[in-house]
Amino acid sequence: MSFDTTNQNKSRQNLESFDEIWVFGYGSLIYKVDFPILEKRPASIRGWQRRFWQGSHDHRGTPEAPGRVVTLVEKEDAVCAGIAYRVSHDVFEHLDHREKNGYLRYEIDIDFDQNNDASNDASHKALNSITGLVYIGLESSEAFLGPASEPSIAAQIHQSIGPSGRNDEYVFRLAEGLRQLNEEDEHVFAIEKLLFELTGRSSNS
Ligand code: SIN
């Protein structure tokens, strides 16, 4: 089973039309930066919330036993914090492959977090917001699993493992990354807490 969106993403935006390209990361892109970046800034987007509603058939699960990873779900007044990376055009070759499990690239308004910013690029520090790109698995994505109770999401994650490792590791590393951004994400932290109970792990281990 494959939900490979690589080819679709290639033709979604004309990357050459961007003077500079920022990609907004809100999930594994917060803690796993396996691509070259030109600049990195804490940022947020409006009108979206993070939810463990996307299936992972390739990284944190398998086609037979998918794991769960985050996607974005529209919600009025919601603000979702993450990290914006300024990257060169060719990085999308790698990102499109990495995010191929049902995620499509969308244009999005990214607000830079001026109070939480160690950026040393003075020319960009003055910038408040910019149109960038983000990977989202919408309800129409074939890899979209949709809502479930937090205990059943945690139970599924607890059992899942894929080529990139254990699914619970994804949650622990994301929660840690969000704490470093001073972001209180109740959904992520509730699932992390349930996984601490299921694994016997604590926040210090
Ligand atoms: C993202 O991190 O921005 C997309 C979802 C993921 O790769 O976990």
Side-chain angles (χ1 to χ4, degrees):
M1 196 172 8
S2 168
F3 311 120
D4 197 336
T5 50
T6 316
N7 283 335
Q8 268 170 280
N9 275 326
K10 274 199 208 323
S11 54
R12 282 179 72 77
Q13 290 97 17
N14 174 12
L15 297 177
E16 303 302 326
S17 69
F18 289 78
D19 288 340
E20 54 181 60
I21 309 188
W22 289 81
V23 58
F24 179 78
Y26 58 90
S28 69
L29 288 177
I30 289 181
Y31 66 79
K32 186 177 175 188
V33 187
D34 58 354
F35 50 93
I37 60 166
L38 302 169
E39 195 179 343
K40 154 181 171 175
R41 294 184 63 181
S44 60
I45 54 174
R46 277 162 283 129
W48 296 89
Q49 64 183 0
R50 205 174 347 247
R51 285 289 176 268
F52 276 93
W53 292 3
Q54 184 77 356
S56 182
H57 305 75
D58 58 344
H59 283 299
R60 300 287 178 171
T62 61
E64 298 72 37
R68 274 184 181 258
V69 289
V70 288
T71 185
L72 295 173
V73 178
E74 275 189 288
K75 183 164 188 265
E76 217 184 330
D77 299 332
V79 176
C80 177
I83 300 186
Y85 302 98
R86 187 161 65 86
V87 294
S88 63
H89 298 83
D90 50 5
V91 163
F92 286 89
E93 198 65 40
H94 169 74
L95 288 179
D96 287 351
H97 178 74
R98 171 172 159 173
E99 302 298 324
K100 70 182 186 317
N101 200 58
Y103 291 96
L104 289 175
R105 271 196 238 135
Y106 293 88
E107 286 192 19
I108 195 116
D109 289 333
I110 301 173
D111 300 323
F112 295 115
D113 182 352
Q114 310 287 352
N115 304 319
N116 193 3
D117 200 342
S119 162
N120 50 15
D121 186 325
S123 63
H124 284 114
K125 244 190 136 129
L127 212 61
N128 291 323
S129 59
I130 199 162
T131 301
L133 298 172
V134 63
Y135 288 89
I136 307 178
L138 288 182
E139 203 173 337
S140 51
S141 158
E142 287 186 73
F144 187 83
L145 298 181
S149 69
E150 286 171 345
S152 67
I153 290 177
Q156 182 176 351
I157 290 173
H158 182 48
Q159 286 167 4
S160 299
I161 182 161
S164 296
R166 297 178 54 86
N167 201 173
D168 55 15
E169 213 46 54
Y170 176 106
V171 180
F172 296 140
R173 293 186 68 187
L174 173 59
E176 198 43 51
L178 292 172
R179 271 192 277 276
Q180 283 170 16
L181 290 171
N182 298 318
E183 171 70 350
E184 282 288 326
D185 188 314
E186 286 178 14
H187 176 66
V188 175
F189 291 163
I191 289 166
E192 181 197 38
K193 183 165 180 283
L194 288 161
L195 284 167
F196 282 152
E197 287 161 19
L198 288 167
T199 57
R201 241 175 97 137
S202 71
S203 51
N204 307 317
S205 53

